[in-house]
């Protein structure tokens, strides 16, 4: 017996649900991985491009600053020359005083922090600036080239050194100006999301942070979604030039951790929604599939009982969707198979019963046959008598077929296969002249043939015989009236027998009779019409006679003699007219009966015509 | 010298850069002394002093991020804050502004009053459109008080060091200049200039409004104090220790500690001996002095609406230095 699915039975359904969820998660994971890779590639490209832009910008900015400082140093030397142009009469101390006055303003309003003048051989002549910018602590590079670098260990400051020749104290001298590459300079190199540091011999000597904090010394950003890229650019081509380190912050749309978090959240939401929204459906579908599977399994089991498996396909399983249609088809198939099996079982049972009774019947039949055989053997004379009767009957039938009045033909598949002798007499095609031909040769034209065949076929299809009087044609072209009747001998072989009686003479006689009848009927109708007219002709004078006679006889009307005479005159005229009519009728009767006698008399033709 | 504190021994010192006009000026004395006596290292700091030519430059260094602290006149910082409240005062350093208007010696016969300066070239600490130093404010107030129009004189920068000021006078680049002790005394001793007007000298009282204003003050950017309060606190403690050390030692010890000698040392010694209350003993802000400071600030700016609205209390960060009446 089939049982309803139990909790244990739902295990495959749960496994299927689990597999579906795992597949969904795998798909989600692959998509998420692709998104992550694309995002990472995009972020990497953006970062690389931003770094290239930053490199270009800072390289140009350093060149601009260098150019500006050179120009300022040149201007400052020119201004010093001008400032000291009338100092020939002054002693050196006075010249130095004047120069200090100039530099006090100049250094306050330029990038230069200090100024030194030497004799070109390194012997210091003049220095102005704050005490901390001690020139002895500064190592100059390429002083003779006009530009170089210096570092003050006391100030921990890198200086851009710009030298040029002036006349000082009435002799050529070299004036050197010092530009501190400090935080202010780096701050002037404004660039978005960039933190700058100037590194000299591995030591950070300036930075744009400005706080003095070392929090950003590592260049790492505290924020998770930000990434920092380090970029180092040497300030010029000198090997002792400081290096500008740029920490470029990149705020990625999503950091790897955030992306992973979002993906995990998305996956969790996806699974939750799938479980809440699709889980029920999936479980329902899997249960239906499972029931179908069980139904098929039970149906195919060796020890199944009728109805096993079919009962599992309940209305919950069937439905309008694919699974439902599959279930319905499976159910129908099972039912048909069950029915087939039942029929086979019934047939087997009947066959067994038949087999069981067959021997008895065979025995009984054998006995009957033996008895009949014995009886037949005992009545050989009866058999001979029957044979004779059959032969007699056959001869009579052949005589009937060979009659000379009605033509008979057998037609198979529209071809005439047999004819009797009367056919040759009626149609004149010779003995067996129509064998192999169709009945079309007997019809006046093909249209008649088609019509007759169609009518005959229609009658045969309804199980009726065909009979019709037809115009047919003899071999010599003479038209005949034939009374044709046909019966279907075999529907499978389309075999029919046609009886063709020549009624040409009968139809002629019939036609003459019809014409005679028509003439008699016409005469009768003429007499009737004559009598109808005559009755009126007779009554009119009769009424006049009777009317005038009554008036005269009853005396109700007082009339004078003249009028009486007139009345009698009317009666006499009407009587004569009536007599003439009667004579005419009698003449007609005579004429009809052939007793009219004609006598020659003279008459006035003119009067007759008028 | 201060004994090395346990905290400083073996510990990594934290860099702190301080800008102040100098060197060897009255306003730079305490920072220089702090480094000299090792007060910074006691607090775990390695203070580097960046000398500048005036308070205006110091402000520029602060705002540019080159330095974290500055010691200069608080009224210069107040003037800067009129354009944006970016600076705060952490501790009082110098109570007296030993400012003098020094006139070139050869002009003694003709310049006897402030009014006689009309048409003259006057030297100020720095000549900038953007900044105004304490000495410049002092000079403006003085001229306004004596009805000398600023259009009738010409200003040039003479710096805030002995070198620049003496050179300006010797080279006849200026007829008079604002100077501060000990440079004014040295200029006088060198015969380069004479004192036409002075404030705060040896208890001298004048009719100048707000003459008792707070001079040298520990200044920092507000963002630095907010971001690194520990650094600001250590700097305040460093200066407080130094102020206490100065109060406990003789002028000679101070000059010796600074390594000053010659005319420079003598001038410093004279200044310290003549003005024992010049420096704050504890770094605390005084309400009375702040009131004087606001008065001086407003008067020096001609009582402009901006200066009248401004309150020095808005820029005080005195949670470490403290307050007193």
């Amino acid at each position: 017996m089939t049982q309803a699915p139990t909790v244990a039975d739902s295990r495959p359904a749960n496994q299927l649900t689990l597999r579906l969820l795992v597949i969904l998660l795998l798909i989600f994971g692959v998509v998420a991985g692709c998104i992550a890779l694309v995002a990472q590639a995009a972020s990497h490209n953006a970062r690389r491009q931003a770094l290239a832009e930053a490199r270009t910008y800072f390289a140009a900015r350093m060149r601009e600053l260098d150019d500006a400082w050179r120009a300022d140093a040149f201007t400052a030397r020119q201004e010093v020359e001008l400032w000291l142009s009338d100092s020939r009469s002054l002693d050196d101390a006075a010249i130095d005083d004047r120069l200090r006055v100039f530099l006090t303003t100049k250094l306050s309003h330029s990038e230069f922090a200090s100024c030194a003048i030497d004799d070109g051989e390194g012997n210091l002549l003049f220095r102005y600036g704050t005490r901390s910018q001690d020139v002895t602590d500064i190592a100059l590079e390429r002083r003779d080239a006009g530009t170089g670098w210096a570092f003050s260990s006391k100030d921990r400051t890198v200086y851009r050194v710009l030298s040029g020749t002036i006349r000082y104290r009435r002799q050529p001298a070299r004036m050197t100006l010092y530009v501190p590459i400090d935080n202010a300079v780096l701050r002037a190199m404004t660039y978005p999301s960039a933190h700058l540091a100037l590194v000299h011999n591995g030591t950070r000597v300036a930075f744009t942070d400005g706080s003095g904090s070392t929090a950003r010394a590592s260049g790492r950003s505290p924020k998770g979604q930000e990434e920092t890229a380090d970029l180092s650019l040497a300030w010029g081509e000198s090997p002792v030039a400081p290096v500008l380190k740029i920490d470029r912050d990149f705020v990625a749309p999503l950091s790897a951790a955030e992306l992973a978090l979002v993906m995990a959240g998305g996956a969790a939401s996806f699974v939750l929604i799938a479980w809440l929204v699709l889980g029920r459906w999936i479980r329902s579908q899997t249960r239906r599939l499972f029931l179908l599977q069980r139904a098929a399994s039970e149906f195919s089991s060796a020890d199944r009982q009728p109805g096993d498996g079919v009962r599992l396909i309940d209305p919950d399983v069937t439905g309008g969707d694919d699974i439902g249609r599959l279930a319905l088809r499976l159910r129908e198939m099972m039912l048909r198979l069950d029915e087939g099996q039942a029929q086979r079982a019934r047939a087997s049972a009947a066959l067994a019963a038949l087999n069981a009774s067959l021997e008895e019947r065979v025995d009984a039949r054998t006995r009957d046959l033996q008895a009949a055989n014995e009886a037949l053997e005992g009545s050989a004379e009866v058999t001979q008598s029957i044979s004779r009767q059959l032969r007699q009957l056959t001869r009579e039938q052949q005589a009937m077929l060979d009659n000379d009045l009605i033509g008979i033909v057998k037609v198979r598949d529209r071809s005439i296969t047999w004819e009797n002798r009367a056919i040759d007499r009626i149609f004149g095609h010779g003995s067996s002249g129509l064998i192999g031909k169709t009945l079309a040769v007997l019809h006046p034209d093909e249209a008649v043939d088609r019509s007759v065949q169609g009518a005959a076929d229609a009658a045969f299809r309804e199980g009726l015989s065909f009979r019709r009087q037809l115009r047919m044609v003899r071999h010599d072209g003479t038209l005949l009236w034939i009374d044709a009747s046909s019966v279907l001998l075999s529907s499978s072989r389309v075999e029919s027998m046609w009886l063709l009686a020549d009624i040409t003479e009968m139809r002629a006689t019939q036609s003459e009779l019809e014409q005679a009848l028509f003439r008699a009927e016409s005469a009768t109708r003429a007499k009737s019409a004559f009598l109808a007219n005559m009755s009126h002709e007779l009554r009119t004078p009769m009424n006049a006679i009777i009317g005038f006679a009554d008036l005269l006889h009853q005396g109700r009307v007082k009339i004078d003699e003249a009028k009486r005479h007139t009345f009698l005159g009317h009666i006499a005229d009407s009587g004569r007219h009536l007599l003439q009519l009667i004579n005419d009728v009698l003449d007609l009767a005579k004429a009809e009966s052939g007793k009219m006698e004609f006598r020659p008399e003279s008459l006035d033709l003119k009067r007759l015509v008028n | 010298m201060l004994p090395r504190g346990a905290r400083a021994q073996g510990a990594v010192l934290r860099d702190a850069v301080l800008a102040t006009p100098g060197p060897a000026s009255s306003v730079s004395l305490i920072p220089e002394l702090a480094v000299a006596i090792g007060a910074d290292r006691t607090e775990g700091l390695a203070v580097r002093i960046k000398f500048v030519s005036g308070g205006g430059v110091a402000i520029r260094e602060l705002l540019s991020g080159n330095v974290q602290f500055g010691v200069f006149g608080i009224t210069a910082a107040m003037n800067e804050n009129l354009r944006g409240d970016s600076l705060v005062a952490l501790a009082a350093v110098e109570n007296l502004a030993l400012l003098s208007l020094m006139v070139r010696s050869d002009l003694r016969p003709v310049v006897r009053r402030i009014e006689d300066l009309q048409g003259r070239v006057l030297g100020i600490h720095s000549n900038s459109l953007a900044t105004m130093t304490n000495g410049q404010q002092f000079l403006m107030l003085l001229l306004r008080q004596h009805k000398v129009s600023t259009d009738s004189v010409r200003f040039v920068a003479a710096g805030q060091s002995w070198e620049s000021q003496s050179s300006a006078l010797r080279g006849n680049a200026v007829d008079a200049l604002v100077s501060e002790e000990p440079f004014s005394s040295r200029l006088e001793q060198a015969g380069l200039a004479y004192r036409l007007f002075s404030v705060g000298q040896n208890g001298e009282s004048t009719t100048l409004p707000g003459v008792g204003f707070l001079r040298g003050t520990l200044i920092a950017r507000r963002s630095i104090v907010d971001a690194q309060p520990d650094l600001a606190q250590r700097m305040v403690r460093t200066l407080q220790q130094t102020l206490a050390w100065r109060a406990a030692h003789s002028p000679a010890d101070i000059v010796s500690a600074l390594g000053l000698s010659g005319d420079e040392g003598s001038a410093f010694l004279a200044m310290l001996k003549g003005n024992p209350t010049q420096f704050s003993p504890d770094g605390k802000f005084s309400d009375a002095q702040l009131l004087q400071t606001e008065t001086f600030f407003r008067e020096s700016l001609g009582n402009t609406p901006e200066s009248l609205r401004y309150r020095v209390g808005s820029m005080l960060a005195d949670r470490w230095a403290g307050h007193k009446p």
Side-chain angles (χ1 to χ4, degrees), chain A residues 546-557 559 567:
Chain A
I546 293 171
F548 285 113
D550 282 346
L551 287 174
L552 293 175
H553 177 257
Q554 289 174 0
R556 291 177 186 175
V557 180
I559 53 178
F567 283 2

Side-chain angles (χ1 to χ4, degrees), chain B residues 33 250-261 264-266 268-270 272:
Chain B
L33 188 60
S250 67
D253 292 338
I254 295 169
V255 171
S256 173
L258 291 173
L260 300 175
S261 59
E264 192 176 43
S266 301
F268 241 102
L269 191 59
L272 292 173

Side-chain angles (χ1 to χ4, degrees), chain A residues 96-97 100-101 104-105 107-110 128-133 154-156 182-184 187 210-213, chain B residues 15 23 48 50-51 53 60 63-66 68 127-128 157-159 163-164 167-168 170 173 221 224 228 264:
Chain A
D96 290 351
D97 287 340
R100 285 194 193 93
V101 170
T104 298
T105 298
L107 298 187
S108 296
H109 295 86
S110 66
Y128 185 78
T130 53
R131 177 180 293 179
S132 59
Q133 285 130 22
K154 191 173 181 182
D155 285 347
R156 297 184 193 176
D182 54 13
N183 295 354
R187 283 167 67 96
S211 64
S213 165
Chain B
D15 280 338
R48 283 191 293 119
K50 188 166 188 178
F51 294 109
S53 59
R60 200 170 68 197
L63 298 180
S64 68
N66 278 338
Q68 294 113 35
N127 189 11
S128 166
E163 276 184 327
S164 60
S167 293
R170 267 199 305 266
R221 269 194 297 152
I224 293 290
Q228 303 178 67
E264 192 176 43

Side-chain angles (χ1 to χ4, degrees), chain B:
Chain B
M1 300 296 125
L2 288 174
R4 296 289 175 90
R7 181 164 47 171
Q9 290 179 352
V12 176
L13 299 177
R14 191 169 176 183
D15 280 338
V17 188
L18 183 147
T20 184
S25 68
S26 61
V27 76
S28 67
L29 184 144
I30 295 301
E32 287 186 86
L33 188 60
V35 175
I37 65 176
D40 57 341
R41 290 184 289 276
T42 304
E43 291 297 328
L45 296 177
V47 174
R48 283 191 293 119
I49 299 174
K50 188 166 188 178
F51 294 109
V52 294
S53 59
V57 180
I59 289 173
R60 200 170 68 197
E61 293 290 316
L62 267 176
L63 298 180
S64 68
N66 278 338
V67 300
Q68 294 113 35
F69 301 99
V71 174
F72 51 89
I74 189 173
T75 53
M78 291 166 69
N79 191 60
E80 175 62 27
N81 274 3
L82 289 180
R83 292 185 294 184
D85 192 22
S86 56
L87 301 177
V88 293
L90 295 172
V93 176
E94 191 178 12
N95 281 335
L96 295 177
L98 301 179
L99 294 167
S100 298
L101 180 58
M102 307 297 293
V103 182
R104 209 173 63 230
S105 295
D106 59 313
L107 298 176
R108 186 185 291 270
V110 293
V111 179
R112 296 181 178 176
R113 302 174 303 159
I114 302 296
E115 291 81 354
D116 295 335
L117 291 174
Q118 291 194 33
R120 297 291 176 181
V121 178
L122 306 182
I124 54 177
H125 293 164
S126 63
N127 189 11
S128 166
L129 287 175
T131 59
M132 183 174 282
T133 65
N134 225 165
Q136 193 174 352
Q137 291 167 337
F138 162 71
L139 181 58
M140 294 301 169
L141 179 56
L142 201 59
L143 294 175
R144 187 175 296 110
Q145 201 176 37
H146 291 86
K147 313 295 183 192
V148 176
S149 168
T150 53
D151 294 334
S152 65
V153 295
R154 192 160 59 89
F155 298 104
V156 296
Q160 204 168 351
S161 69
W162 162 253
E163 276 184 327
S164 60
Q165 292 185 354
S166 62
S167 293
L169 288 170
R170 267 199 305 266
N172 294 334
V174 296
D175 296 323
L177 54 77
V178 174
S179 183
E180 189 173 16
E181 292 297 337
F183 303 139
S184 49
S185 294
R186 287 185 67 184
L187 294 173
E188 201 171 25
Q189 290 169 7
L192 293 173
Y194 63 93
R195 205 181 299 263
L196 183 63
F197 188 88
S198 296
V199 292
Q201 305 260 1
N202 300 317
E204 178 184 350
S205 64
T206 70
T207 57
L208 200 67
V211 72
F213 66 88
L214 177 59
R215 169 59 174 141
T217 310
L218 177 61
I219 306 290
R221 269 194 297 152
R222 189 179 294 278
S223 58
I224 293 290
V225 175
D226 292 342
Q228 303 178 67
D230 178 60
L231 179 66
Q233 184 181 21
R234 290 187 191 190
M235 181 55 76
V236 171
R237 283 181 182 169
T238 298
L239 292 191
Q240 282 179 317
Q241 279 194 50
T242 308
L243 290 169
W245 190 94
R246 187 215 64 85
H249 288 76
S250 67
D253 292 338
I254 295 169
V255 171
S256 173
L258 291 173
L260 300 175
S261 59
D263 293 342
E264 192 176 43
S266 301
F268 241 102
L269 191 59
M271 178 190 74
L272 292 173
K273 284 182 178 177
N275 300 283
T277 60
Q278 180 181 358
F279 296 99
S280 169
D282 51 13
K284 292 182 178 179
F285 292 102
S286 162
D287 291 339
Q289 192 177 34
L290 292 176
L291 192 61
Q292 288 280 306
T293 303
E294 281 190 347
T295 301
F296 173 79
F297 176 66
R298 293 168 188 164
E299 290 293 334
S300 66
L301 292 180
N303 288 312
T304 58
E306 294 82 7
S307 63
L308 290 174
R309 277 199 299 271
Y310 191 78
R311 292 289 177 272
V312 69
S314 67
M315 67 177 292
L316 294 185
D318 56 358
R319 57 183 181 274
W320 299 298
H323 216 80
K324 61 185 178 183

